[in-house]
C-alpha cells in the first residue's frame, strides 16, 4: 500500500455518487409508471390479460396491476378510488357508475356470450337454445345448480335470466326457493364455481371465455348456447379524476385509448384457445 498517494477530494466523489444516484432514480421513475385495474374474474381466468397486457406494456411502457374480482366488487373498488380504470361486464351497472359521476364515459370494448354448462347426461333435458326454458326445467326437477352469488357480472346476468323463466311474478326477482332445492350459491369466482359443478354433476351459467380455458371439465358439457339473451358485453371506464385527483388518470386513459384502438382490438381478436376465439372486439363498431 502506497502511503504517499494523495487522497481523492471527498466533495468530488460525493457529487459523482449523487449524480449517479439521481440518474438511476430518474431512469427508475421513467420505467415505474403503473395503473391499477379493477376487473372481473372472467378476463383474468380466461387468460385474456396474460395475452393483452404485455402488448399494452410494449406500446406504452405502462405496467397494469389487475385486481380480478366480481364485477360488483370491482365497481365498489372503483367507487372508493382504489382503481384507476374499470374493465367489467354489467352494462346496466356500468351506465349507473357513469351517471353517478364516477367516470366521464363508458367505452364498449368486446363481447362474447354466456353458456349453460351441465352434466353431459343432462338428466333434466335442459339442452337446447332456450335458456329460460332450461332454467325452468332445472328448478322443476330440483336439480343441482351452482350460482356464483357474488354480485359479479355473471351473477347479475343469471338473476336476469331467472326472472324470464315464469316461475315468479313478472318483473319480480325470483326467490331462491323457486329455483329448486338443488340451487346453491357459492359466493365464488367463475373457476371455483365450475370446479364445484364438475365435482357434483351440477348445472352452472358460465362465460364462454372462462369455460374454454377451464381444464377440469370432468363430465360437463355446454348444453345451452346461442340464445340472444346470453349476449355478454364488456366495457371500460377511466375512474373520475375530479372525484379522485390522486389517481393515475393519464395512464388509465392511455390504456382505454389503446384497448379501443385498432391495435388493441386486433390483440383481443387474436387471443384464442385451441383455435377458438374467446372474445370479439366491438369498440370500433360502436
Amino acid at each position: 500500500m502506497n502511503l504517499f498517494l494523495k487522497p481523492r477530494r471527498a466533495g468530488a466523489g460525493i457529487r459523482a455518487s449523487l449524480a449517479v444516484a439521481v440518474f438511476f432514480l430518474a431512469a427508475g421513475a421513467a420505467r415505474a409508471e403503473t395503473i391499477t385495474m379493477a376487473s372481473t374474474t372472467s378476463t383474468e381466468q380466461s387468460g385474456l390479460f396474460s395475452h393483452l397486457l404485455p402488448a399494452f406494456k410494449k406500446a406504452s411502457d405502462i405496467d397494469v396491476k389487475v385486481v380480478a374480482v366480481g364485477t360488483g366488487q370491482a365497481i365498489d373498488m372503483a367507487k372508493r378510488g382504489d382503481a384507476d380504470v374499470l374493465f367489467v361486464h354489467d352494462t346496466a351497472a356500468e351506465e349507473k357508475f357513469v351517471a353517478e359521476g364516477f367516470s366521464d364515459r363508458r367505452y364498449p370494448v368486446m363481447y362474447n356470450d354466456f353458456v349453460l354448462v351441465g352434466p353431459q347426461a343432462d338428466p333434466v333435458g335442459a339442452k337446447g337454445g332456450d335458456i329460460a326454458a332450461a332454467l325452468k326445467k332445472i328448478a322443476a326437477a330440483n336439480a343441482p345448480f351452482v350460482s356464483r352469488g357474488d354480485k359479479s357480472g355473471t351473477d347479475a346476468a343469471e338473476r336476469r335470466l331467472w326472472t324470464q323463466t315464469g316461475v315468479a311474478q313478472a318483473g319480480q326477482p325470483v326467490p331462491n326457493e323457486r329455483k329448486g332445492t338443488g340451487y346453491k350459491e357459492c359466493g365464488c369466482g367463475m373457476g371455483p364455481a365450475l370446479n364445484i359443478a364438475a365435482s357434483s354433476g351440477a348445472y352452472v351459467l358460465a362465460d364462454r371465455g372462462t369455460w374454454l380455458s377451464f381444464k377440469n371439465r370432468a363430465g360437463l358439457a355446454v348444453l345451452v348456447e346461442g340464445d340472444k339473451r346470453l349476449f355478454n358485453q364488456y366495457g371500460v371506464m377511466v375512474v373520475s379524476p375530479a372525484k379522485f385527483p390522486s389517481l393515475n388518470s393519464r395512464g388509465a386513459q392511455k390504456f382505454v385509448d389503446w384497448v379501443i384502438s385498432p391495435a388493441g382490438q386486433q390483440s383481443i381478436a387474436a387471443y384464442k384457445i385451441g383455435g377458438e376465439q374467446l372474445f370479439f372486439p366491438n369498440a370500433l363498431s360502436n
Side-chain angles (χ1 to χ4, degrees):
M1 178 177 180
N2 190 341
L3 299 178
F4 297 98
L5 286 176
K6 292 183 179 180
R8 297 175 61 189
R9 288 185 299 163
I14 291 172
R15 285 195 296 272
S17 297
L18 285 173
V20 171
V22 168
F23 171 80
F24 282 108
L25 284 171
R31 294 193 301 269
E33 184 172 6
T34 303
I35 60 172
T36 298
M37 179 192 299
S39 190
T40 176
T41 58
S42 61
T43 47
E44 178 78 0
Q45 293 176 357
S46 66
L48 175 67
F49 282 158
S50 295
H51 163 82
L52 195 66
L53 298 184
F56 173 64
K57 167 74 172 179
K58 184 176 180 180
S60 67
D61 203 30
I62 296 174
D63 289 311
V64 181
K65 176 186 175 184
V66 177
V67 181
V69 290
T71 286
Q73 292 174 276
I75 290 174
D76 288 343
M77 180 180 168
K79 283 183 174 181
R80 295 191 301 268
D82 291 333
D84 303 298
V85 64
L86 183 63
F87 194 148
V88 288
H89 65 139
D90 185 347
T91 300
E94 293 162 35
E95 291 174 344
K96 183 180 180 184
F97 183 80
V98 173
E100 292 175 344
F102 289 100
S103 179
D104 292 335
R105 182 177 176 184
R106 171 190 175 274
Y107 299 82
V109 179
M110 63 188 189
Y111 69 91
N112 63 4
D113 62 344
F114 295 107
V115 291
L116 182 70
V117 172
Q120 291 177 353
D122 188 21
V124 306
K127 187 176 179 64
D130 187 328
I131 184 61
L135 291 176
K136 190 172 182 179
K137 288 178 180 179
I138 290 169
N142 293 313
F145 183 95
V146 180
S147 174
R148 298 248 322 245
D150 63 348
K151 298 184 179 179
S152 62
T154 303
D155 183 54
E158 183 210 304
R159 291 178 188 279
R160 288 193 299 270
L161 292 169
W162 275 110
T163 65
Q164 298 167 16
T165 61
V167 299
Q169 188 174 352
Q172 298 297 315
V174 180
N176 286 356
E177 58 267 22
R178 295 286 185 89
K179 300 170 187 176
T181 57
Y183 178 90
K184 297 291 185 293
E185 294 183 355
C186 68
C188 61
M190 194 71 258
L194 282 165
N195 277 319
I196 294 169
S199 65
S200 60
Y203 295 85
V204 61
L205 186 75
D207 69 279
R208 190 182 292 272
T210 306
W211 167 251
L212 288 174
S213 62
F214 182 63
K215 306 301 182 185
N216 181 33
R217 295 185 179 182
L220 296 180
V222 172
L223 300 176
V224 180
E225 60 185 329
D227 189 321
K228 64 182 181 181
R229 291 170 290 191
L230 294 172
F231 180 77
N232 182 29
Q233 177 69 49
Y234 289 78
V236 65
M237 291 141 282
V238 175
V239 180
S240 172
K243 283 188 177 290
F244 306 105
S246 64
L247 294 181
N248 186 358
S249 302
R250 184 189 69 86
Q253 189 63 57
K254 281 189 175 182
F255 173 78
V256 170
D257 291 343
W258 180 82
V259 82
I260 65 173
S261 73
Q265 294 282 281
Q266 288 167 12
S267 186
I268 290 170
Y271 181 55
K272 298 179 181 181
I273 292 180
E276 190 165 354
Q277 187 172 334
L278 274 70
F279 299 94
F280 298 85
N282 63 348
L284 301 177
S285 62
N286 282 277

